[in-house]
Amino acid sequence: MQPPHLLLFLFLPILLPGMWADPEAEPQVIQYLLTSLFANISSAEVSCVALVGDIPFLTLHPANWSIHFYWPWLSQAAAQGDSEKLMSQYKIALRNIIRFVHDTVQQTEQHYPLVVQFRGGCVLYPNTTSQGFLNIGWDGRDLVAFEVGKQCWEARQPSQVAELVSNSLNKQKSVRVFLEHLLSIWVCQSNFLALKRYGREILERQELPVATVFARTPSPAQLLLVCHVTGFYPRPISVAWLRDGQEVPLGPALNTSPILPNADLTYQLHSVLAVTPRDGHSYVCRVRHQSLGSRSLLISWENRSAAPTIGITIAVLLILATASAGGFWWWKHRKGNEAAWETQEFTI
Ligand SMILES: *[C@@H]1O[C@H](CO)[C@@H](O)[C@H](O)[C@H]1NC(C)=O
Ligand SMILES: *[C@@H]1O[C@H](CO)[C@@H](O)[C@H](O)[C@H]1NC(C)=O
Ligand SMILES: *[C@@H]1O[C@H](CO)[C@@H](O)[C@H](O)[C@H]1NC(C)=O
């Protein structure tokens, strides 16, 4: 059995010495994700992506395994020093891994098709400490993990295949020493340092949320107010409903979706509030997000009158009242146009 001598293909270290940390920051994660589908004994399809946070910076072309860098400075950095040597050998490592998986399948009498996943990288904490990690998943379940501090592989499930894989990988002392170095020095230090130097716009990217409010009527006795918020980055966001200026507490009437990704690496979610039609209250969807600074995005919906002009007038009056209380405000045109007459959007 041929173990994957060169797991290093997972890591494209950028060799710059040193360490960095921003005490204000959240933990930062660099990870290399590799998914391989083994359809039968003679087939292996490999895809790979590397991310900083949730932003990809590198992919592997599935057809010829060539590397695509998302930014030119990455390919420049990766062509320097020892990185160049590593770059020339990652395809050999990949072939060794594929052979290792096929051998393991035969020894343990597993069945095709099979999906094997690798997840390796580093978490950098705000207190400047960092932790490298490398896990292998087998058909969607954790199989083995590399303990960086102990320089050894440990089974993550009580199975024959997990035992065999961890024992087999642990026999390769030079690989274990190499992996420890790769994770804790190259990924945890050099990759992060390079990002700090060149990739500030990646780490500090911000996209403004766009919010729309519209209503649905599932039954004559019920009105669902939907606040749809999209196009924002980074992911953390706060969306709340205000009834006559007071925040509506969590409860059965309030239903907020999970945060879902958009194709352009932004996020979306919606919050639905069930109300009684024409209950005489005013409703405002309030969005807070890092990109807005200390301002909030407020989108009002008037639940009083069916007449559009009156609705707009009241909404404008509400805006003016809120704005004068808040001290300043400005108008921001909504990008979406749904239900234009019954919603008004502004930021304060
Ligand atoms: C193995 O799987 C690949 C991909 O699904 C397929 O193209 C190929 O024909 C299969 N080979 C055998 C021997 O079954
Ligand atoms: C890999 O394949 C893609 C698409 O087929 C192609 O654009 C790219 O140039 C290829 N890279 C190499 C190094 O052959
Ligand atoms: C740094 O922070 C991490 C995560 O909060 C913690 O696990 C670790 O022990 C801390 N290290 C030190 C030296 O404070």
Side-chain angles (χ1 to χ4, degrees):
M1 180 159 50
Q2 176 74 40
H5 282 302
L6 299 165
L7 275 167
L8 57 85
F9 82 93
L10 284 169
F11 309 98
L12 299 165
I14 295 146
L15 289 172
L16 293 164
M19 187 82 177
W20 66 282
D22 177 354
E24 300 288 304
E26 297 273 295
Q28 298 275 0
V29 182
I30 286 183
Q31 55 184 330
Y32 294 78
L33 306 175
L34 184 139
T35 303
S36 41
L37 168 64
F38 296 83
N40 54 50
I41 192 152
S42 53
S43 146
E45 289 167 32
V46 174
S47 61
C48 178
V49 63
L51 308 159
V52 53
D54 50 5
I55 304 174
F57 62 90
L58 170 161
T59 55
L60 211 56
H61 197 284
N64 53 22
W65 297 351
S66 65
I67 291 170
H68 169 68
F69 289 110
Y70 282 68
W71 294 283
W73 60 263
L74 268 168
S75 47
Q76 284 161 21
Q80 289 166 7
D82 286 356
S83 297
E84 194 185 2
K85 199 167 83 192
L86 296 176
M87 297 282 290
S88 67
Q89 293 180 342
Y90 75 92
K91 289 186 186 178
I92 300 170
L94 206 45
R95 282 189 206 100
N96 285 342
I97 287 175
I98 288 170
R99 196 180 317 139
F100 178 74
V101 171
H102 282 307
D103 287 350
T104 305
V105 169
Q106 281 171 330
Q107 284 185 26
T108 56
E109 295 173 353
Q110 305 273 308
H111 298 288
Y112 297 100
L114 171 74
V115 174
V116 181
Q117 292 160 285
F118 295 78
R119 176 173 171 270
C122 183
V123 186
L124 180 66
Y125 296 106
N127 62 14
T128 78
T129 59
S130 60
Q131 182 62 55
F133 58 87
L134 177 56
N135 305 310
I136 302 180
W138 191 270
D139 256 351
R141 293 177 59 212
D142 287 340
L143 183 76
V144 295
F146 185 67
E147 287 290 324
V148 178
K150 298 187 207 157
Q151 283 189 5
C152 72
W153 291 91
E154 288 182 355
R156 284 287 183 266
Q157 53 170 263
S159 69
Q160 188 205 359
V161 59
E163 192 144 314
L164 189 127
V165 168
S166 55
N167 287 342
S168 162
L169 292 174
N170 276 332
K171 285 188 188 131
Q172 305 292 319
K173 177 134 198 301
S174 58
V175 176
R176 287 190 278 126
V177 172
F178 173 75
L179 281 178
E180 195 266 337
H181 188 71
L182 190 70
L183 291 166
S184 52
I185 306 298
W186 289 340
V187 182
C188 281
Q189 295 187 20
S190 308
N191 281 14
F192 274 118
L193 185 75
L195 272 168
K196 174 77 170 173
R197 281 211 182 146
Y198 304 109
R200 193 162 278 281
E201 79 278 9
I202 306 168
L203 300 177
E204 295 177 1
R205 175 175 167 240
Q206 292 193 353
E207 305 287 346
L208 285 164
V210 175
T212 318
V213 169
F214 54 94
R216 295 222 173 96
T217 319
S219 73
Q222 202 185 36
L223 192 64
L224 296 180
L225 301 183
V226 183
C227 182
H228 183 249
V229 186
T230 188
F232 56 91
Y233 190 90
R235 199 169 183 278
I237 195 160
S238 148
V239 177
W241 282 99
L242 309 180
R243 179 190 286 122
D244 301 329
Q246 297 294 315
E247 187 168 330
V248 177
L250 290 178
L254 188 61
N255 191 356
T256 301
S257 73
I259 297 176
L260 300 171
N262 287 320
D264 62 353
L265 297 178
T266 63
Y267 290 97
Q268 61 164 307
L269 84 164
H270 59 266
S271 179
V272 182
L273 181 67
V275 302
T276 310
R278 293 175 298 281
D279 64 3
H281 295 293
S282 70
Y283 291 93
V284 172
C285 175
R286 184 192 65 201
V287 180
R288 289 178 172 160
H289 186 254
Q290 195 180 319
S291 63
L292 295 162
S294 57
R295 293 175 289 138
S296 299
L297 189 59
L298 301 174
I299 305 97
S300 68
W301 195 92
E302 190 51 52
N303 194 18
R304 195 165 306 179
S305 165
T309 47
I310 296 173
I312 286 174
T313 309
I314 293 170
V316 168
L317 288 175
L318 179 77
I319 290 165
L320 289 173
T322 317
S324 52
F328 70 95
W329 66 277
W330 78 79
W331 184 276
K332 184 173 176 294
H333 281 291
R334 195 178 60 248
K335 287 185 196 160
N337 254 338
E338 298 150 80
W341 56 268
E342 61 187 6
T343 70
Q344 302 290 333
E345 177 184 321
F346 56 100
T347 59
I348 65 169

